[in-house]
């Protein structure tokens, strides 16, 4: 008996190893979405923040199984999804992308995998705003660049506020800044119908189709995935996935000519509602915040690493630019000044996007991490250069003359006499710059890096908890910055003693 059990255990282990080896050999199906605040498309499970789920996530898993390819998820900001396709970061994008003429001009699309209309959401105690006509004269919120925004903009008497994140629109509706919201059906259901503060009213308005996006020249990949998607529609797999998420609607039945009655229960919809309903209470909140700590620690580590590397680059390049401008020949000084003025005169966000998405067209492809470090380092180098130039100007001219008189070369005088004195002067400013750089590192989230601020967006939008999560992330930033303030003071005191120490006669 014991021998049989041992053989059975060995066989199971062997099967596991073979399956793992087979999965490792499978080609990758790299796809992207913005899963930071994207219920119910792709989002982090409220009960386990490190786990991704969503109806689009399940569609890709089903496509991978049909294509015998291993799906690999790539997180990217919404604005960077299509540029990422063109950059070759992934093969396709699923993120509720509407198949509008503008989008079709920028990317190839599969056949539609979901069809929906726009729904009106109002506060629970509101009445009389259940048709498009009744919304005239009111303030409406929606998501930017969507069918809902275009519908609202056709009505000149409606004041439209367009948001990047749907969670922000719901916050404004709850706070009374909006009279109603118009959103795609899935978003309206998962945000409006799970809260005691809101309700969905009226019938769906308009019609929009979601498609899988591919790079404009990737026809072969599009055709391959499109055929697999057709198979999912034909054998009812797509119907069952959408039924599990309570997203199979009469519009979908008519569009795909599938009027069969599925016996699949909306288990994911029920589980999501239960998870959201169970997040109240003081003890539950504390336990939830404790569960956030690994994600916050990961975000803090990445923030610190990106900031530290960028600051090293900024200091090195900043010193070089300052010396070129202060002591270099006139053309060199002019070039250094031109660099400083151009970098300081353009937004850091534009510089990050240019380095990450623009340089590949010149044959330079950087990973998100190196692109973020390079953009932050090059930007802050311009500011550091001006700080160091001010420090160099504060050193009396006689110091250089005295060093030359002691038979030092010009470079030795700079390295041993001038730069150390200037450095002591700018240490407090450098500390402030590093604290600013820590906070500006949040901009690298647009190139797929999930640092602290992006962690805040993900957690707060998943649990609709902006206060507690904000305090937790704010504390993390504070803990990151305080040690460097202390270290800078110690360095100032040490350098001050060195400069003020009595010197003997030579």
């Amino acid at each position: 008996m014991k021998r049989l059990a041992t053989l059975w255990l060995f066989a199971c282990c062997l099967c596991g190893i073979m399956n793992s080896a087979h999965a490792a050999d499978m080609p990758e199906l790299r796809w992207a979405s913005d899963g930071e605040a994207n219920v119910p498309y792709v989002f982090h499970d409220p009960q386990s923040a490190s786990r991704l789920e969503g109806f689009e996530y399940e569609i890709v898993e089903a496509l991978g199984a049909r294509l015998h390819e291993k799906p690999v998820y790539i997180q990217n900001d919404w604005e960077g999804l299509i540029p990422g396709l063109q950059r070759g970061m992934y093969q396709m994008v699923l993120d509720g992308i509407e198949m509008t003429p503008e989008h079709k001009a920028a990317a190839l699309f599969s056949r539609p995998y979901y069809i929906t209309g726009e729904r009106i959401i109002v506060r629970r105690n509101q009445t009389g705003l259940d048709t498009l006509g009744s919304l005239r004269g009111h303030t409406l919120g929606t998501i930017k660049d969507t069918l809902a925004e275009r519908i609202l903009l056709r009505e000149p008497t409606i004041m439209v506020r367009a948001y990047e994140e749907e969670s922000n629109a719901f916050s404004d509706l709850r706070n009374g800044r909006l009279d109603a919201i118009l959103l795609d059906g899935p978003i309206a259901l998962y945000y409006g119908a799970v809260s005691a503060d809101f309700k969905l009213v009226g019938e769906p308005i308009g019609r929009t189709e979601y498609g899988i996006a591919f790079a404009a020249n990737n026809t072969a990949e599009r055709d391959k995935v499109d055929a697999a998607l057709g198979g999912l529609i034909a054998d009812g797999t797509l119907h069952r996935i959408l039924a599990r998420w309570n997203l199979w609607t009469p519009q979908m039945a008519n569009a795909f000519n599938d009027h069969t009655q599925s016996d699949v229960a909306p288990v994911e919809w029920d589980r999501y509602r239960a998870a959201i309903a169970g997040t109240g209470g003081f003890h539950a909140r504390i336990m939830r915040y404790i569960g956030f700590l690994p994600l916050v620690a990961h975000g803090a580590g990445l923030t610190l690493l990106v900031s530290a590397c960028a600051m090293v680059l900024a200091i090195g390049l900043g010193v070089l630019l300052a010396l070129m401008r202060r002591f270099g020949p006139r053309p060199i000084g002019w070039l250094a000044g031109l660099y400083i003025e151009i970098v300081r005169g353009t937004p850091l966000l534009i510089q990050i996007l240019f380095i990450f998405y623009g340089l590949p067209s010149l044959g330079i492809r950087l990973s998100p991490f190196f692109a973020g470090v390079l953009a932050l380092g090059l930007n802050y180098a311009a500011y550091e250069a001006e700080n160091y130039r001010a420090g160099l100007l504060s050193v009396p001219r006689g110091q250089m003359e005295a060093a030359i008189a002691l038979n030092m070369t010009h470079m030795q005088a700079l390295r041993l006499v001038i730069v150390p004195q200037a450095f002591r002067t700018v240490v407090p400013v450098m500390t402030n710059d590093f604290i600013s750089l820590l906070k500006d590192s949040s901009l690298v989230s647009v190139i797929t890096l999930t640092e602290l601020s992006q962690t805040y967006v993900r957690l707060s939008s998943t649990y609709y908890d902006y206060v507690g999560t904000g305090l937790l992330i704010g504390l993390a930033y504070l803990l990151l910055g305080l040690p460097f303030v202390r270290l800078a003071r110690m360095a100032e005191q040490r350098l001050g003693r060195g400069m003020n120490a009595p010197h003997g006669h030579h």
Side-chain angles (χ1 to χ4, degrees), residues 104-260:
K104 287 181 178 177
L108 287 177
F109 277 90
S110 68
R111 71 187 68 193
Y113 64 86
Y114 195 72
I115 295 160
T116 185
E118 308 301 320
R119 299 298 305 272
I120 301 171
I121 307 104
V122 297
R123 288 184 289 277
R124 182 69 63 177
N125 58 357
Q126 280 181 299
T127 57
L129 295 178
D130 52 359
T131 64
L132 187 60
S134 65
L135 299 176
R136 295 188 181 108
H138 292 275
T139 302
L140 269 289
T142 188
I143 305 298
K144 291 171 66 175
D145 301 325
T146 60
L147 172 65
E149 185 186 27
R150 293 191 294 276
I151 290 174
L152 294 176
L153 289 175
R154 291 184 202 132
E155 299 287 341
T157 59
I158 295 177
M159 181 176 291
V160 182
R161 291 181 181 168
Y163 296 81
E164 297 280 353
E165 305 287 350
E166 50 268 25
S167 53
N168 295 333
F170 279 96
S171 293
D172 276 358
L173 179 62
R174 181 182 283 110
N175 296 329
R177 298 190 184 106
L178 298 174
D179 297 317
I181 299 174
L182 188 67
L183 292 172
D184 288 4
I187 306 173
L189 180 67
Y190 273 75
Y191 281 84
V194 299
S195 171
D197 298 333
F198 310 120
K199 62 181 179 183
L200 277 65
V201 296
E203 296 297 320
I205 300 170
R207 170 191 165 103
T208 188
E209 299 176 343
Y210 297 162
I212 305 174
F214 301 83
N217 57 354
N218 200 354
T219 308
E221 186 73 26
R222 191 276 306 272
D223 293 345
K224 181 182 72 176
V225 174
D226 195 59
L229 179 59
L232 298 184
I233 295 171
D235 68 8
T237 302
L238 183 65
H239 185 159
R240 289 191 292 277
I241 290 173
L242 295 174
R244 281 161 48 79
W245 291 90
N246 197 26
L247 292 173
W248 185 260
T249 63
Q251 273 184 302
M252 284 293 296
N254 292 331
F256 290 99
N257 196 25
D258 180 357
H259 297 279
T260 57

Side-chain angles (χ1 to χ4, degrees), residues 377-394:
L378 293 179
N379 181 275
Y380 269 77
Y383 295 93
E384 294 306 303
E386 288 302 276
N387 293 336
Y388 302 145
R389 191 168 71 91
L392 292 170
L393 289 172
S394 70

Side-chain angles (χ1 to χ4, degrees), residues 267-290:
V267 290
E268 298 298 342
W269 162 247
D270 292 339
R271 192 171 66 84
Y272 178 76
R273 285 195 302 170
I276 294 300
T279 56
F282 179 77
H283 182 261
R285 281 175 178 265
I286 294 299
M287 296 307 296
R288 193 171 70 214
Y289 295 149
I290 292 174

Side-chain angles (χ1 to χ4, degrees), residues 2 18 56 61 133 217 229 373 381 402 414 471:
K2 184 182 290 185
M18 290 176 67
E56 290 184 338
E61 292 290 319
N217 57 354
L229 179 59
V373 168
L414 284 174
L471 290 174

